[in-house]
Amino acid sequence: MLDVPSVRLTSLAHGGGCGCKLAPSVLQDLLAGQAQGGPFERLLVGTETGDDAAVWDLDGGTAIIATTDFFMPMVDDPDHFGRIAAANAISDIYAMGGTPLMALAILGMPLGKIDTATVRAILGGGAAICAQAGIPVAGGHSIDCPEPVYGLAVIGSAPRSCIRRNSTARPGDALILTKALGVGVYSAAFKKEALGQPAYDEMLASVTKLNRIGAELAQDEAVHAMTDVTGFGILGHGLEMARGSGATLRLWRAALPVLGEAEHLVQQGFVTGASHRNWASYGHEVDLPEGTPDWQRHLLTDPQTSGGLLVACAPEAADRLLAAIHAAGYPAAARIGTVEAGPGRVVVEG
């Protein structure tokens, strides 16, 4: 039994949420030279484009989607931590155009530092989000770990025709983002006890909102590519789409949706270490307007936990799709740019 008193979860972790991810440049170095699927012809999506999940052709018509995601706490409430981590993990299935089928829990806890009730609450929060997604937590694995870690491995499925990759955007496409940016800024403020309750509630509502709209969007032929925006920020995940698609993404900075207090907080210096690491990793592949202040750049590199979907679609369908996304319960969704012929870069304009 874990019979120690409860403590602030965030005090036990050196980072939290998707801000824990390895920097993009480090990940690229680690994967360099690794086999990208080998002779497995039925592996439709592997590591070749940094996509959100692996996809396997089951029978020529149905694809199986597999992913895993876990991290350290970005909040202190254990139920909220479980909910955030679960929603973030399931998002990868939706980002590929799939429907989740089941999940397995991934749990690492520092024995002697966290009590049993806290761990149960983490697991309960994750199970509650899985219930919202209509899937069971069918098993899992746990270890004694120096810092608290929780997440899921998730299996999903989709018709092959509905699989949407991050590498299939087309020149001329419109870009839509379904959730507001600024989660990393809010989490940095929270860790320093500078985030008010209304802002916390705003953040929690965003990061526990399932990206189930992805499965619906994937049924529309006008939707060409999708990815979810997480630890690498809108620039990093946009750059993955640009590289994979062999095209330039042009983002309209003024059109980007942000959480209500994000600009105020980032100007006060609430920035994650991951934001700095992100820019150091890929800044040479991004064009910003001359004179862009650091605080605006940090919003563009801000690591999102359980962020929204970045959707590339036919321009004539953009207004229709955006209206459908709003109607489905994503009020912050916005049209944020275009895809253009050109090198795999991201260009930001004011």
Side-chain angles (χ1 to χ4, degrees):
M1 292 290 290
L2 303 175
D3 54 2
V4 297
S6 297
V7 296
R8 285 195 71 188
L9 286 176
T10 53
S11 72
L12 299 175
H14 74 276
C18 286
C20 297
K21 291 177 71 169
L22 295 177
S25 58
V26 175
L27 188 59
Q28 285 181 322
D29 286 344
L30 291 174
L31 294 177
Q34 297 289 323
Q36 296 186 351
F40 300 103
E41 295 181 358
R42 292 164 68 181
L43 181 64
L44 302 180
V45 181
T47 61
E48 59 278 359
T49 56
D51 225 315
D52 298 297
V55 181
W56 184 268
D57 180 6
L58 184 64
D59 55 14
T62 300
I64 296 298
I65 308 168
T67 187
T68 183
D69 212 317
F70 50 89
F71 46 62
M72 291 167 283
M74 56 184 284
V75 295
D76 292 322
D77 185 299
D79 174 78
H80 294 174
F81 173 36
R83 289 173 184 268
I84 294 166
N88 181 75
I90 297 170
S91 178
D92 288 341
I93 302 295
Y94 293 130
M96 300 300 300
T99 300
L101 298 174
M102 66 176 178
L104 303 175
I106 299 167
L107 181 70
M109 288 293 140
L111 296 179
K113 295 181 180 179
I114 295 181
D115 61 21
T116 302
T118 297
V119 179
R120 285 176 178 160
I122 294 169
L123 295 173
I129 288 294
C130 287
Q132 287 185 24
I135 63 173
V137 179
H141 186 64
S142 60
I143 62 168
D144 180 8
C145 190
E147 296 180 277
V149 172
Y150 175 69
L152 301 173
V154 191
I155 303 298
S157 69
R160 277 195 60 169
S161 61
C162 288
I163 294 295
R164 292 294 184 271
R165 303 192 61 168
N166 69 353
S167 57
T168 48
R170 307 174 188 177
D173 278 354
L175 294 171
I176 294 172
L177 181 63
T178 64
K179 289 185 184 181
L181 304 172
V183 173
V185 171
Y186 273 38
S187 65
F190 176 83
K191 191 150 190 178
K192 295 181 180 178
E193 301 185 17
L195 191 71
Q197 189 64 45
Y200 180 90
D201 293 341
E202 179 191 22
M203 178 183 73
L204 185 65
S206 179
V207 296
T208 58
K209 175 75 174 178
L210 289 168
N211 278 327
R212 64 171 83 241
I213 188 64
E216 299 175 28
L217 291 171
Q219 298 176 37
D220 196 312
E221 292 184 355
V223 173
H224 300 150
M226 283 195 298
T227 190
D228 63 348
V229 177
T230 55
F232 300 156
I234 185 64
L235 289 185
H237 292 284
L239 185 58
E240 287 182 332
M241 182 176 284
R243 289 176 184 147
S245 302
T248 296
L249 264 63
R250 182 175 296 273
L251 303 182
W252 307 325
R253 184 192 57 77
L256 292 170
V258 295
L259 295 173
E261 296 185 26
E263 292 189 356
H264 172 68
L265 289 169
V266 75
Q267 289 180 71
Q268 290 184 309
F270 293 106
V271 176
T272 66
S275 180
H276 294 282
R277 294 193 297 273
N278 284 341
W279 182 251
S281 293
Y282 56 63
H284 59 287
E285 296 178 85
V286 174
D287 297 319
L288 297 180
E290 186 176 353
T292 297
D294 286 346
W295 70 265
Q296 288 185 2
R297 191 194 75 212
H298 281 305
L299 285 175
L300 299 172
T301 57
D302 187 53
Q304 305 306 291
T305 299
S306 191
L309 299 177
L310 177 62
V311 182
C313 65
E316 64 273 13
D319 289 343
R320 171 178 61 81
L321 292 170
L322 185 57
I325 294 168
H326 286 156
Y330 304 83
R335 187 169 176 174
I336 65 164
T338 60
V339 181
E340 302 174 352
R345 295 184 66 85
V346 175
V347 176
V348 180
E349 65 178 40

